[in-house]
Structures are given as structure tokens and as C-alpha cells.
Amino acid sequence: MKQSDLLLLLEGLWTSLELTFVALLIGCTVALLFTLVLILRTPLLLQGVNGVILLFTGTPLLVQIFLIYYGPGQFEWLRESFLWQWLVQPWFCAMLALALNTAAYSTLLFKGAFDAIPKQQWEACSALGMNKRQTLSVLLPYAIRRAIPAYSNEVILVFKGTSLASTITIMDIMGYAQRINAQTYDTLTVFGAAGAFYLTVNGLLTLIFRRVEKHALAFEAH
């Protein structure tokens, strides 16, 4: 493999990392809002949130990317709206699919961690005279800290999921790997190098989250 090919893969790595970071930022924010809706059982929003979770956990990510990228173009009113300037961009559509996908799975993680809070902690908040809002402000951060080990796997899945973005013409790691392979036919070397990029980043993410877990869950050691 030539040096110029490696530089192209590095350029693709930057695109993959950008997609991962923005999708996680938006997805985590949406997941926290969805979790609050599920906990508070907000009547008008509960069914909508459950519907979004069912849709994005029950269908493959690739189908979601295709629907978001190719679907809106079939509606004339959407093509004429201000949204079209965003929905016509492959990068935005891939990011949106990844963000909504990780939001759905993260909501289930956060809600599961919240449901696992020991009954005694609810009773302690009640004994201190806290209302529901004050109780949530204490227990929700605690639940999220407990969810960090499982959330680290979700972060890695999002990064690996960016490999599907190349199906809608985005030149990420896989996009450049496919182009280089078509030019050189050196399949083993090209995709082996692409796999090494994914493996390295996932290894670093794992190490980072191990340190975050150690710090966030330090209170359990006492």
C-alpha cells in the first residue's frame, strides 16, 4: 500500500470520528430527554417515544440510513421546505440516522439503570422530604453513572456503525478503502488496514472508558 493511500484512509478516519462525535452528542441528549419522558410517563409524549424506540431498535441501521437519505426526496413539499438543504446532504443524513439509533438504545440503557436503583434510595429521598423533581435530580445522575459500562459498548457500536455511511457516498474509512481497492485490487492489504484503523480506535475508546468507569463508580468501592 502506498503512502498516499494511507493518507486517504486517515482522511476517512477523521470523517468517521466526526460522525461518531456529533451523533453521540445529539443521541445522548435525546436519550436523556426520552428517559425523562419514560420515567415521568408524560401522557402526550410517552407513546411517541416508545414508537421511536421500537422503530430504531427493531430495524437495521442500514435501512434507517437509506430511509432518511432517499425517503424525503419523494415528497415535493419537503423538497421545497427549509429542511431540504440539510436532508440533501449525505453526511447529515448518516449522522441523523446514527444519532436516532443510538438515542433509542441509550434510552433503554438509562431507563434500565434507573429501574435498578435500590428501593432504599427512594425511601431515603422520601424520608428527607424530597418531592419528585428533587428525587429525580438526585437519582438520575446516579443511574447514569451506573449505566456507563454498558454505554461504553454503545459508543463503540456507533463508531463501527459509521462504516455503513459509505453506502450513501460518504468517504469515511470504508469509503476510501473501497475506492483504493477498486484501483489496486489489493483487497487483503486495503481492508486489513481499514480494520486496523477501527481496531485501534476501539481499543483507545475502551481504555478511555475504563478510566471513566473507575472514576465515576469509585463511590462503590467504599
Side-chain angles (χ1 to χ4, degrees):
M1 177 179 283
K2 296 184 293 186
Q3 185 179 6
S4 58
D5 294 336
L6 280 174
L7 291 175
L8 284 177
L9 288 178
L10 279 173
E11 190 175 328
L13 172 63
W14 178 250
T15 301
S16 298
L17 290 174
E18 272 187 329
L19 274 173
T20 303
F21 178 76
V22 179
L24 286 172
L25 185 64
I26 295 175
C28 187
T29 304
V30 173
L32 290 173
L33 295 175
F34 280 4
T35 303
L36 282 175
V37 170
L38 293 182
I39 291 171
L40 297 173
R41 303 189 67 78
T42 312
L44 294 177
L45 300 175
L46 185 60
Q47 289 187 344
V49 169
N50 281 327
V52 171
I53 292 173
L54 178 64
L55 176 65
F56 282 91
T57 57
T59 57
L61 177 59
L62 182 59
V63 172
Q64 295 160 19
I65 291 174
F66 281 170
L67 284 175
I68 291 175
Y69 182 59
Y70 294 112
Q74 298 182 12
F75 300 97
E76 187 177 351
W77 64 269
L78 202 51
R79 292 200 304 272
E80 294 174 352
S81 73
F82 73 95
L83 294 173
W84 187 242
Q85 60 180 318
W86 296 98
L87 293 173
V88 77
Q89 299 178 31
W91 191 94
F92 177 81
C93 293
M95 184 279 297
L96 184 61
L98 286 164
L100 293 174
N101 185 275
T102 188
Y105 282 103
S106 299
T107 300
L108 296 179
L109 285 176
F110 295 157
K111 180 63 167 53
F114 191 83
D115 290 341
I117 293 175
K119 184 181 176 183
Q120 292 81 356
Q121 296 196 24
W122 288 96
E123 293 173 346
C125 291
S126 178
L128 291 172
M130 294 183 178
N131 57 31
K132 194 168 187 177
R133 186 182 64 79
Q134 291 170 325
T135 302
L136 283 177
S137 68
V138 172
L139 296 185
L140 190 58
Y142 170 78
I144 292 173
R145 290 165 75 179
R146 296 294 303 272
I148 287 176
Y151 188 70
S152 64
N153 293 328
E154 180 60 27
V155 172
I156 289 173
L157 286 175
V158 171
F159 178 65
K160 289 195 290 189
T162 60
S163 62
L164 297 175
S166 62
T167 57
I168 54 173
T169 71
I170 293 176
M171 299 309 289
D172 63 340
I173 297 175
M174 283 302 295
Y176 279 118
Q178 291 176 48
R179 176 193 284 183
I180 297 167
N181 181 56
Q183 294 170 345
T184 64
Y185 297 103
D186 191 4
T187 305
L188 188 61
T189 305
V190 172
F191 288 108
F197 275 77
Y198 285 107
L199 192 61
T200 302
V201 173
N202 286 332
L204 290 173
L205 287 173
T206 301
L207 290 175
I208 291 170
F209 269 98
R210 290 293 176 270
R211 294 184 67 85
V212 172
E213 289 169 24
K214 187 176 179 181
H215 178 72
L217 301 177
F219 66 94
E220 291 190 335
H222 300 289

